[in-house]
Amino acid sequence: MQIRLRQSLVKSLFIILTGLSLTSCETVQTTQSGVVSVDRKQMMAVSSQDIDAASSQTYAKLIAEERSKGTLNRDSSQVSRVRAIANRLIAQTPAFRPEARNWDWEVNVITSPEVNAWCMPGGKIAVYTGLIQSLQASDDELAAVIGHEMAHALREHARERASEQAVAGAGISILAAVTGVGDVAQKGMEYAYMGLLGLPNSRRHETEADRIGVELAARAGYDPRATITLWQKMGQVAGGEPIKFLSTHPSREDRMSDLTVYSQRVMPLYEQNRRK
């Protein structure tokens, strides 16, 4: 009986989520497909203006904090190197989004042992010195990670995730109210959503960013195969890997396999554009 009840609740949850998606979301094509054929249409319930406004506030606060600590763009040679790589990648973004060339791009280097990089919506990029130094990253490898992060912004993955969470949160609250379930059952429905929809979508985002990233790198004249050595180094630094089912990233084996296929697919672009 309890199993049937849980199955019924999960089924109802999906019905409500689907209904909300149809009534409150718009279907958008954020990017052109490129050689790597990333052509999935996305459902958006949050406006790009809202995401851009929130991102701008977060970015301004973060940059101000790093500047006050003296950790923003401390090493001019590192900054010049990272910006040169990023600018070559930015010049290739019209292959996926023609208007992205005119975004207000910014590129910063943050002094921190953290192995990290990110690109906020609208083109605000940061690379941490820990990524450069811990990985001893080559220019090709830096292009791989920066291109990957840029791809998240081009595909508006942050907006898509916010939309999913907004729709799911509304659906779960409505279902909990209608059925009169308690907090424990409501939390169970939230876990069901994350396990069946939330986390797999995050893995999908990572795969899309990987594929677009290798094409951006190839078009900019960087060896797309460097993305494989980059993630191998990332794995060595990270050590143990979380269980795939509960991870927001593809497994290392899946990622390496996919990157091998797609880096080879864009090799003609690299051969055409690489600097002699």
Side-chain angles (χ1 to χ4, degrees):
M1 181 68 179
Q2 296 247 345
I3 293 176
R4 290 181 181 176
L5 176 60
R6 285 197 294 269
Q7 290 174 337
S8 176
L9 290 175
V10 171
K11 182 178 180 181
S12 299
L13 170 60
F14 275 102
I15 292 172
I16 288 177
L17 291 179
T18 302
L20 284 172
S21 298
L22 291 173
T23 57
S24 63
C25 292
E26 61 173 336
T27 302
V28 300
Q29 188 76 43
T30 56
T31 60
Q32 298 173 6
S33 61
V35 171
V36 292
S37 300
V38 174
D39 56 5
R40 178 180 62 88
K41 292 184 179 180
Q42 297 158 276
M43 299 293 288
M44 302 293 193
V46 177
S47 72
S48 58
Q49 292 83 0
D50 288 344
I51 290 295
D52 289 346
S55 297
S56 294
Q57 292 177 4
T58 301
Y59 175 75
K61 180 179 179 181
L62 188 151
I63 291 301
E65 290 175 352
E66 297 298 338
R67 183 178 289 112
S68 68
K69 294 187 294 185
T71 55
L72 184 69
N73 299 326
R74 178 185 292 178
D75 186 326
S76 60
S77 62
Q78 282 184 335
V79 174
S80 296
R81 180 189 177 201
V82 170
R83 286 179 174 171
I85 294 169
N87 286 336
R88 285 173 58 180
L89 294 167
I90 291 167
Q92 304 306 318
T93 57
F96 291 97
R97 286 190 75 147
E99 74 275 18
R101 187 191 291 272
N102 299 319
W103 285 2
D104 187 19
W105 293 92
E106 290 186 30
V107 183
N108 296 287
V109 177
I110 296 173
T111 300
S112 167
E114 187 176 351
V115 179
N116 194 20
W118 43 260
C119 180
M120 285 190 179
K124 302 298 189 284
I125 298 170
V127 176
Y128 290 63
T129 56
L131 185 146
I132 300 171
Q133 296 166 349
S134 296
L135 303 183
Q136 292 295 297
S138 66
D139 284 2
D140 292 321
E141 289 170 340
L142 283 177
V145 71
I146 295 171
H148 172 95
E149 296 304 324
M150 289 169 58
H152 282 304
L154 293 172
R155 286 291 288 168
E156 296 189 54
H157 284 153
R159 180 184 171 200
E160 187 176 14
R161 285 293 287 161
S163 297
E164 291 168 357
Q165 291 167 2
V167 172
I172 290 169
S173 296
I174 292 171
L175 181 57
V178 169
T179 59
V181 299
D183 292 340
V184 173
Q186 183 170 343
K187 182 60 67 176
M189 285 187 279
E190 292 171 0
Y191 288 148
Y193 165 76
M194 287 303 295
L196 297 173
L197 284 179
L199 294 180
N201 282 344
S202 292
R203 291 194 288 269
R204 177 189 293 169
H205 291 175
E206 290 300 314
T207 298
E208 289 181 348
D210 279 348
R211 294 175 183 179
I212 290 175
V214 296
E215 182 166 340
L216 287 174
R219 288 181 178 276
Y222 293 105
D223 191 337
R225 295 168 295 188
T227 192
I228 299 171
T229 60
L230 169 77
W231 293 114
Q232 287 172 338
K233 289 180 179 180
M234 285 278 199
Q236 293 169 357
V237 170
E241 187 177 57
I243 298 172
K244 178 180 177 181
F245 181 72
L246 296 178
S247 173
T248 59
H249 290 252
S251 74
R252 192 174 306 166
E253 292 77 13
D254 288 350
R255 177 168 245 160
M256 292 300 101
S257 176
D258 195 73
L259 286 171
T260 298
V261 170
Y262 282 87
S263 62
Q264 286 300 318
R265 182 177 294 188
V266 300
M267 279 299 290
L269 292 173
Y270 168 59
E271 295 293 344
Q272 178 183 340
N273 294 293
R274 68 176 175 173
R275 294 186 176 184
K276 305 298 184 181

